[in-house]
Amino acid sequence: MNNKENTRRDFLKRTALAAGGSILLPPAIVFAAPPPPPPVKPADAKIRFSVIGINHSHIYAMVDAVTGGGGQLVAVYAKEPELMTGFMRRYPNVKKAATDTEILEDPSIQLILSSGIPVDRAPLGIKVMQHGKDYLVDKPGVITLAQLAEVRKVQQQTKRIYSIMYSERLENKGSIKAGELVQAGAIGKVIQTINIAPHKMSPKTRPDWFFDPQYYGGIITDIGSHQFDQYLFYTGTTKAEITASQVANVHNPQYPKFEDFGDAMVHGNGGMGYVRLDWFTPDGVSVFGDGRLTILGTDGYIEVRKYIDIAGRPGGSHLFLADKKGIQYIDCSNQVLPFGEQFVNDVINRTETAMPQAHCFLATELALQAQAKAKRVDLKL
C-alpha cells in the first residue's frame, strides 16, 4: 500500500466518528441527544438486508424503518471497532461480517444500507447495484455531479434501487402530515416552500474532515439535499433549476474551507422554493436545530416546527394550518411513518411507492447544482 493511501486511511480512521449534520460520539460528549429509542418490533420478514458503513447516527433510524417495514437485519460491516460496539449493543443478533465483500457477495441479501463517510457513499452504492442488490443510503447520498452521473448510469444499467434517506421528510411526523394535507387540497395549489434548517455546530466535538467540503460536499450538498427533496415533494415539481445560491464562512475563520451558512432559491414546473442552512443554533436550544417548513398555497399555508416549539409545547412534529376558516394547531406525534413498509414493498415488487427514482436523483442534483453555482460571500461581522 502506498504512502498516499496510508495517509488517507489514517485520516479517515481519526475522523470516522462524524458525518454531515450529526455525529456518533462517546456518550460523555454527545450534546442534547437522548439515547436512541429501543429497536422497533420487527414485522414479519419479507426481505433480508445488511449494513455497510455506520459513520452517521442516522443508520439506526434507517435500520428501524426497514425492520419495521418487513426487513430482516442479517449482517453489518464497518472498519471502526468503536462504532461496531455501539451497533452490536443495539442489534445483538446481527452477524459481524469480516469484510464488505462478504456482504456484497451474499446472494441471500437483497438490500444494503449505509451511512458511511459521505465521499464514499456513491462508490459503495455503485458496487452494491453491480452486485445485484438495492441500496438505501443516508444523505448526502452523492457529493459531486461526477459521482451522480456515474450513479445514474449504473442504476440504468442494473435497474436496481438507489434510494437516499431524506429523513427530514420521511422520518418526521409533521412533514408526513403536511404532505397529507397538501394532497387533500387543504391550502389550494402550492406556490412556494420555505425550508429553514439550522444546526448546532459544537466544533470541539467535530473531527478534522467535518470542516473540509472535499469529504462532505459543502453545506448545501449536505444539509440542503433534505430541503430540495421537500421542495419537489410538496410542489409536485418534476423539472427545476437553481435561481440563485450563496455560501459563506461567517464566523469560523479558523476553518478556512468550512461553510457555516448557505441558502438557495429554486423554481420549477410545480412552484418555487427557498432553503436556508446554517450552523448557528445556540447551545441553549435543547435540540440540534429548530428546523421549520412553510408551505404557501393559494388558499392558505402550513408551518411545521419539526423538532421543537420554542413557544413551549413539548416534543416535536408541531403543525399549524391557516386557511379561510382560521388557524388550527395539529399535534402530529401519533402520525404513522409509512416509508419503511413502502420501501420494503418496492424492493419486493420493483415499484416506486416510497420515492420515485427520478425524484431521488433530482433532489440531489439540485443540491449539487446549487452548491456548484453558489457565490462565496465574504461577510465580516
Side-chain angles (χ1 to χ4, degrees):
M1 185 181 296
N2 59 38
N3 289 334
K4 182 177 180 181
E5 180 63 17
N6 271 322
T7 300
R8 169 179 163 78
R9 287 181 179 274
D10 290 343
F11 178 70
L12 295 180
K13 182 177 180 180
R14 291 196 310 271
T15 62
L17 292 179
S22 63
I23 51 180
L24 289 170
L25 295 168
I29 57 175
V30 172
F31 55 85
V40 300
K41 181 180 179 181
D44 292 337
K46 301 176 183 177
I47 66 169
R48 289 165 57 86
F49 75 98
S50 293
V51 172
I52 299 176
I54 54 177
N55 298 85
H56 193 299
S57 57
H58 280 168
I59 193 64
Y60 297 110
M62 293 165 64
V63 168
D64 288 349
V66 174
T67 301
Q72 178 187 351
L73 177 60
V74 177
V76 60
Y77 172 75
K79 298 177 182 178
E80 305 84 9
E82 65 275 16
L83 300 184
M84 285 289 287
T85 298
F87 192 90
M88 298 297 294
R89 184 182 303 118
R90 183 172 171 83
Y91 306 107
N93 296 323
V94 66
K95 176 184 177 183
K96 186 186 297 186
T99 65
D100 58 355
T101 302
E102 179 182 331
I103 293 175
L104 289 168
E105 295 185 352
D106 183 344
S108 75
I109 302 299
Q110 296 154 274
L111 169 70
I112 290 177
L113 276 55
S114 181
S115 68
I117 296 171
V119 70
D120 297 328
R121 292 175 185 176
L124 173 61
I126 289 170
K127 290 198 294 184
V128 168
M129 291 187 292
Q130 290 173 335
H131 280 79
K133 305 182 191 307
D134 296 320
Y135 188 53
L136 177 63
V137 62
D138 189 17
K139 68 81 212 169
V142 181
I143 71 163
T144 69
L145 288 165
Q147 281 188 345
L148 180 60
E150 186 64 18
V151 165
R152 275 179 159 151
K153 182 180 74 174
V154 175
Q155 193 279 324
Q156 280 295 310
Q157 291 171 344
T158 62
K159 305 302 180 184
R160 307 314 304 178
I161 298 172
Y162 191 110
S163 193
I164 298 172
M165 186 62 153
Y166 300 118
S167 57
E168 287 192 20
R169 176 172 66 89
L170 299 171
E171 285 292 307
N172 184 270
K173 296 178 179 181
S175 297
I176 297 298
K177 183 63 177 180
E180 292 180 356
L181 291 170
V182 167
Q183 292 298 316
I187 58 172
K189 295 182 179 179
V190 175
I191 300 169
Q192 184 200 42
T193 59
I194 299 176
N195 286 94
I196 307 299
H199 283 67
K200 187 176 294 185
M201 184 175 172
S202 298
K204 291 182 180 180
T205 70
R206 305 289 182 175
D208 294 341
W209 72 267
F210 171 83
F211 304 99
D212 189 345
Q214 176 184 349
Y215 292 93
Y216 74 94
I219 191 169
I220 301 179
T221 293
D222 177 23
I223 305 175
S225 57
H226 283 303
Q227 322 315 324
F228 287 106
D229 160 69
Q230 292 168 79
Y231 158 72
L232 294 176
F233 178 76
Y234 295 117
T235 63
T237 294
T238 56
K239 295 181 181 179
E241 58 183 278
I242 301 302
T243 308
S245 57
Q246 58 186 355
V247 295
N249 185 343
V250 177
H251 196 57
N252 293 279
Q254 69 275 34
Y255 309 114
K257 295 181 181 180
F258 187 61
E259 298 164 356
D260 55 23
F261 179 92
D263 66 353
M265 291 187 293
V266 60
H267 64 277
N269 60 0
M272 298 171 284
Y274 172 76
V275 306
R276 195 206 77 202
L277 323 158
D278 71 75
W279 288 101
F280 291 110
T281 294
D283 289 342
V285 176
S286 61
V287 294
F288 72 88
D290 182 14
R292 299 192 183 195
L293 162 69
T294 299
I295 309 171
L296 175 65
T298 55
D299 298 326
Y301 62 88
I302 292 168
E303 180 181 352
V304 181
R305 298 179 181 179
K306 298 183 179 182
Y307 309 110
I308 188 173
D309 176 13
I310 59 174
R313 292 182 182 87
S317 296
H318 304 281
L319 186 147
F320 300 86
L321 169 64
D323 58 18
K324 295 177 181 179
K325 298 177 182 179
I327 300 173
Q328 180 182 0
Y329 167 72
I330 301 175
D331 178 358
C332 305
S333 58
N334 293 322
Q335 180 73 30
V336 174
L337 297 174
F339 175 80
E341 184 175 4
Q342 290 175 339
F343 185 74
V344 168
N345 288 337
D346 286 341
V347 170
I348 296 170
N349 301 320
R350 314 317 297 167
T351 49
E352 298 186 347
T353 62
M355 182 190 302
Q357 188 66 72
H359 170 108
C360 178
F361 285 155
L362 181 56
T364 285
E365 180 181 1
L366 290 170
L368 294 172
Q369 288 177 343
Q371 183 75 52
K373 295 179 179 180
K375 178 181 178 180
R376 180 89 177 197
V377 178
D378 186 15
L379 180 62
K380 302 296 184 182
L381 298 180

PDB file of all heavy atoms in Angstrom, residues 299 321-328:
ATOM      1  N   ASP A 299     -54.739  29.027  -1.088  1.00  0.00           N
ATOM      2  CA  ASP A 299     -55.863  29.156  -0.160  1.00  0.00           C
ATOM      3  C   ASP A 299     -55.451  29.075   1.304  1.00  0.00           C
ATOM      4  O   ASP A 299     -56.312  28.945   2.182  1.00  0.00           O
ATOM      5  CB  ASP A 299     -56.907  28.066  -0.445  1.00  0.00           C
ATOM      6  CG  ASP A 299     -57.502  28.175  -1.834  1.00  0.00           C
ATOM      7  OD1 ASP A 299     -57.650  29.309  -2.328  1.00  0.00           O
ATOM      8  OD2 ASP A 299     -57.803  27.126  -2.432  1.00  0.00           O
ATOM      9  N   LEU A 321     -51.951  25.036  10.631  1.00  0.00           N
ATOM     10  CA  LEU A 321     -52.659  25.192   9.357  1.00  0.00           C
ATOM     11  C   LEU A 321     -53.484  26.470   9.408  1.00  0.00           C
ATOM     12  O   LEU A 321     -54.327  26.640  10.306  1.00  0.00           O
ATOM     13  CB  LEU A 321     -53.578  23.989   9.110  1.00  0.00           C
ATOM     14  CG  LEU A 321     -54.581  24.103   7.959  1.00  0.00           C
ATOM     15  CD1 LEU A 321     -53.861  24.223   6.620  1.00  0.00           C
ATOM     16  CD2 LEU A 321     -55.547  22.913   7.960  1.00  0.00           C
ATOM     17  N   ALA A 322     -53.225  27.360   8.461  1.00  0.00           N
ATOM     18  CA  ALA A 322     -54.008  28.591   8.337  1.00  0.00           C
ATOM     19  C   ALA A 322     -54.750  28.555   7.012  1.00  0.00           C
ATOM     20  O   ALA A 322     -54.129  28.400   5.954  1.00  0.00           O
ATOM     21  CB  ALA A 322     -53.094  29.809   8.406  1.00  0.00           C
ATOM     22  N   ASP A 323     -56.078  28.685   7.073  1.00  0.00           N
ATOM     23  CA  ASP A 323     -56.871  28.684   5.843  1.00  0.00           C
ATOM     24  C   ASP A 323     -58.018  29.682   5.984  1.00  0.00           C
ATOM     25  O   ASP A 323     -58.030  30.524   6.902  1.00  0.00           O
ATOM     26  CB  ASP A 323     -57.393  27.282   5.523  1.00  0.00           C
ATOM     27  CG  ASP A 323     -58.254  26.684   6.637  1.00  0.00           C
ATOM     28  OD1 ASP A 323     -58.736  27.457   7.511  1.00  0.00           O
ATOM     29  OD2 ASP A 323     -58.469  25.456   6.637  1.00  0.00           O
ATOM     30  N   LYS A 324     -59.008  29.606   5.130  1.00  0.00           N
ATOM     31  CA  LYS A 324     -60.100  30.568   5.130  1.00  0.00           C
ATOM     32  C   LYS A 324     -60.969  30.476   6.380  1.00  0.00           C
ATOM     33  O   LYS A 324     -61.689  31.417   6.725  1.00  0.00           O
ATOM     34  CB  LYS A 324     -60.959  30.362   3.882  1.00  0.00           C
ATOM     35  CG  LYS A 324     -60.225  30.656   2.579  1.00  0.00           C
ATOM     36  CD  LYS A 324     -61.095  30.370   1.372  1.00  0.00           C
ATOM     37  CE  LYS A 324     -60.352  30.648   0.077  1.00  0.00           C
ATOM     38  NZ  LYS A 324     -61.176  30.356  -1.125  1.00  0.00           N
ATOM     39  N   LYS A 325     -60.894  29.336   7.067  1.00  0.00           N
ATOM     40  CA  LYS A 325     -61.711  29.149   8.262  1.00  0.00           C
ATOM     41  C   LYS A 325     -61.031  29.649   9.529  1.00  0.00           C
ATOM     42  O   LYS A 325     -61.686  29.882  10.534  1.00  0.00           O
ATOM     43  CB  LYS A 325     -62.049  27.669   8.426  1.00  0.00           C
ATOM     44  CG  LYS A 325     -62.860  27.090   7.273  1.00  0.00           C
ATOM     45  CD  LYS A 325     -63.101  25.601   7.477  1.00  0.00           C
ATOM     46  CE  LYS A 325     -63.872  24.992   6.321  1.00  0.00           C
ATOM     47  NZ  LYS A 325     -64.081  23.535   6.496  1.00  0.00           N
ATOM     48  N   GLY A 326     -59.714  29.776   9.503  1.00  0.00           N
ATOM     49  CA  GLY A 326     -58.999  30.210  10.690  1.00  0.00           C
ATOM     50  C   GLY A 326     -57.645  29.543  10.803  1.00  0.00           C
ATOM     51  O   GLY A 326     -57.043  29.136   9.799  1.00  0.00           O
ATOM     52  N   ILE A 327     -57.168  29.413  12.034  1.00  0.00           N
ATOM     53  CA  ILE A 327     -55.858  28.828  12.310  1.00  0.00           C
ATOM     54  C   ILE A 327     -56.052  27.596  13.194  1.00  0.00           C
ATOM     55  O   ILE A 327     -56.759  27.642  14.202  1.00  0.00           O
ATOM     56  CB  ILE A 327     -54.926  29.833  13.006  1.00  0.00           C
ATOM     57  CG1 ILE A 327     -54.711  31.061  12.107  1.00  0.00           C
ATOM     58  CG2 ILE A 327     -53.590  29.178  13.348  1.00  0.00           C
ATOM     59  CD1 ILE A 327     -53.941  32.171  12.769  1.00  0.00           C
ATOM     60  N   GLN A 328     -55.421  26.515  12.825  1.00  0.00           N
ATOM     61  CA  GLN A 328     -55.568  25.247  13.540  1.00  0.00           C
ATOM     62  C   GLN A 328     -54.208  24.691  13.905  1.00  0.00           C
ATOM     63  O   GLN A 328     -53.284  24.680  13.081  1.00  0.00           O
ATOM     64  CB  GLN A 328     -56.329  24.252  12.658  1.00  0.00           C
ATOM     65  CG  GLN A 328     -56.546  22.887  13.289  1.00  0.00           C
ATOM     66  CD  GLN A 328     -57.263  21.926  12.354  1.00  0.00           C
ATOM     67  OE1 GLN A 328     -57.596  22.272  11.230  1.00  0.00           O
ATOM     68  NE2 GLN A 328     -57.498  20.709  12.813  1.00  0.00           N
TER      69      GLN A 328
END
